[in-house]
Amino acid sequence: MKTPYYIIEESKLRRNLQLIATVSQEADVDIILAFKAFALWKTFPIFREFIHATTASSLNEARMAYEQFGSPCHTYSPAYTDHEIDRIAAMSSHLTFNSLSQYDRLAGRAKKANPDLSIGLRVNPEYSEVGTDIYNPCAPGTRFGVTDGQLPHQLPPLIEGFHCHCHCESGADVFERTLVHIERRFSRWFPQLRWINFGGGHLMTRADYDVPRLIRLLNDFHRRYPHLKVILEPGSAFAWQTGYLLSHVVDIVENSNIRTAILDVSFTCHMPDCLEMPYMPEVRGATIIDSAPSTLNPQPSTLDPRPSTLNPQPSTLNIYRLGGNSCLSGDFLGFWQFDHELQIGEELIFEDMIHYTTVKTNMFNGVAHPGLAMLHADGTLEILRDFTYDDYLHRMD
């Protein structure tokens, strides 16, 4: 393959879906797909074998749920607009407001547009163990949700559920500690509710996730509040480690003793979380290195003309920074050590690049999107989509 591709592996996707379906059944909860992490609609026939609903955060996502997934969605947005609320409500089964002011202004309209709509309110327990502020939905000053001190003793008449999102790729132990805060602050209103949505970030498909603990926590919650329907809406858990981004080395440049392999993909265009988080993705056949080559491998003293055998040059250790193909100065990450010297034209694979990538790609600099492909369980590769100049051109229509 001569161009970049996101390649999703069907067998790994089915493995994740089966685990999620098992948790859903054993804990008697609805686990639904959050489009914000994964929205590759050509895979929805597979998803529909295991789950029955999705969650949306915009009119476009609501349409995708209704028209492509084939069922009304659970919708939450920080701010609904007057010109979209009626269409969003018509395509939703559940609709959560971020604030009481949004509820006061738009809940009546939403219910009129869809009399069967179940309306909820996002609440903020002011507790989260997410360590990176940009991903912490409960950080001080957050724009998300209503605190217990802002709620009236009697909830407004149309509110039937609470939505509480506190996690990001978290474990069951984090959910257990968070649940204490949620109940302490909001359980006094539970008798007035029909459902509670514990949001996303429950990374139950990660290898070290304590799935039995999650099931126990959810069943214990049911015993305390048997009238509440429980909903989870992870995104990453569905697509976790289900595929990779195939790229190629286009050039190798060196500056200040740092060698950079320039690729035909971009961190800012195709892997933005690598710069925002930041985190270092796994590269197949390479080891992540914490320090720059100049730190790992000091240059021989200029006073000693003999070649250094104790401190070999970086070129002999095959250490590279990886650079994207946009003109953003910071479009690079690194360092990685390879078991060979990289060659122009060779393939380079970023592992676990399906969630929060395909939904976030952009065409800054006119850099083309990688194609989309599925590796089926029988070993055949199906090209789902290739992107062309027309895709870039029509963004500006």
Side-chain angles (χ1 to χ4, degrees):
M1 304 180 76
K2 302 301 183 184
T3 57
Y5 275 90
Y6 294 106
I7 299 179
I8 185 167
E9 299 176 74
E10 181 184 0
S11 60
K12 294 180 179 180
L13 177 63
R14 287 184 175 275
R15 175 201 61 198
N16 285 358
L17 286 164
Q18 183 59 64
L19 185 147
I20 288 169
T22 299
V23 174
S24 177
Q25 181 177 5
E26 294 187 7
D28 188 24
V29 298
D30 285 344
I31 305 179
I32 61 181
L33 169 65
F35 286 153
K36 66 180 180 180
F38 181 84
L40 187 53
W41 59 268
K42 288 186 177 180
T43 65
F44 288 174
I46 299 173
F47 276 79
R48 285 195 294 267
E49 297 177 28
F50 298 90
I51 65 172
H52 67 272
T54 58
T55 180
S57 299
S58 64
L59 176 59
N60 285 337
E61 286 188 344
R63 283 192 61 182
M64 178 177 287
Y66 197 77
E67 298 174 8
Q68 302 297 334
F69 197 86
S71 65
C73 55
H74 296 236
T75 306
Y76 161 78
S77 174
Y80 299 104
T81 60
D82 288 329
H83 65 279
E84 291 183 339
I85 186 63
D86 303 295
R87 286 179 290 167
I88 288 175
M91 292 182 283
S92 301
S93 60
H94 299 64
L95 190 142
T96 297
F97 288 98
N98 185 61
S99 67
L100 287 169
S101 59
Q102 279 257 299
Y103 168 87
D104 289 340
R105 194 163 62 84
L106 297 173
R109 277 185 57 179
K111 194 71 173 178
K112 184 178 179 181
N114 182 358
D116 296 326
L117 186 68
S118 184
I119 290 178
L121 184 69
R122 179 158 177 170
V123 294
N124 174 16
E126 302 177 85
Y127 177 85
S128 174
E129 298 185 20
V130 177
T132 303
D133 282 347
I134 193 174
Y135 297 117
N136 185 352
C138 300
T142 182
R143 69 190 195 280
F144 297 135
V146 178
T147 63
D148 58 331
Q150 297 171 318
L151 285 175
H153 175 73
Q154 182 64 41
L155 293 174
L158 296 179
I159 292 178
E160 297 182 332
F162 279 170
H163 176 118
C164 188
H165 178 62
C166 309
H167 302 102
C168 177
E169 297 186 356
S170 303
D173 58 325
V174 178
F175 178 53
E176 184 169 15
R177 292 188 291 271
T178 305
L179 195 55
V180 173
H181 293 264
I182 294 172
E183 291 187 57
R184 178 170 60 84
R185 289 185 178 272
F186 297 109
S187 61
R188 74 192 80 168
W189 287 282
F190 286 179
Q192 302 178 46
L193 303 177
R194 292 177 49 210
W195 53 267
I196 186 165
N197 184 330
F198 288 122
H202 308 272
L203 195 50
M204 61 191 75
T205 53
R206 188 175 59 198
D208 62 348
Y209 191 96
D210 192 343
V211 174
R213 187 176 191 174
L214 174 65
I215 294 172
R216 174 181 58 80
L217 290 169
L218 293 169
N219 283 324
D220 288 346
F221 186 86
H222 281 311
R223 283 187 279 271
R224 293 193 297 276
Y225 311 102
H227 70 290
L228 286 180
K229 182 64 181 177
V230 176
I231 304 159
L232 304 180
E233 50 176 42
S236 294
F238 284 94
W240 183 258
Q241 294 186 339
T242 58
Y244 51 91
L245 174 58
L246 172 69
S247 68
H248 305 83
V249 178
V250 176
D251 197 10
I252 297 173
V253 299
E254 185 168 348
N255 191 309
S256 300
N257 202 37
I258 293 174
R259 290 196 302 170
T260 300
I262 299 179
L263 311 175
D264 58 358
V265 296
S266 162
F267 291 102
T268 191
C269 296
H270 308 139
M271 299 171 275
D273 280 351
C274 293
L275 301 182
E276 292 174 3
M277 188 70 164
Y279 77 93
M280 289 281 285
E282 180 182 348
V283 175
R284 189 174 298 181
T287 302
I288 296 171
I289 301 296
D290 292 331
S291 305
S294 56
T295 304
L296 286 167
N297 311 292
Q299 296 297 300
S301 168
T302 56
L303 300 178
D304 185 354
R306 296 171 300 175
S308 171
T309 57
L310 296 178
N311 298 305
Q313 301 299 301
S315 58
T316 65
L317 292 180
N318 303 315
I319 296 173
Y320 297 85
R321 187 171 66 180
L322 300 180
N325 60 341
S326 81
C327 69
L328 175 70
S329 298
D331 189 4
F332 66 85
L333 214 61
F335 296 86
W336 285 266
Q337 184 171 15
F338 292 81
D339 61 4
H340 64 283
E341 188 169 353
L342 293 182
Q343 302 296 316
I344 293 173
E346 77 171 271
E347 293 180 348
L348 192 149
I349 292 175
F350 291 91
E351 303 284 13
D352 194 21
M353 277 292 159
I354 301 301
H355 58 95
Y356 281 108
T357 50
T358 53
V359 293
K360 282 191 170 186
T361 56
N362 62 76
M363 287 188 169
F364 169 63
N365 264 177
V367 173
H369 290 319
L372 301 171
M374 176 175 285
L375 182 62
H376 291 291
D378 64 2
T380 60
L381 186 70
E382 178 186 2
I383 304 301
L384 302 177
R385 176 72 187 273
D386 282 316
F387 296 90
T388 67
Y389 169 70
D390 285 342
D391 296 296
Y392 175 67
L393 182 67
H394 293 319
R395 291 178 70 253
M396 306 301 174
D397 281 353

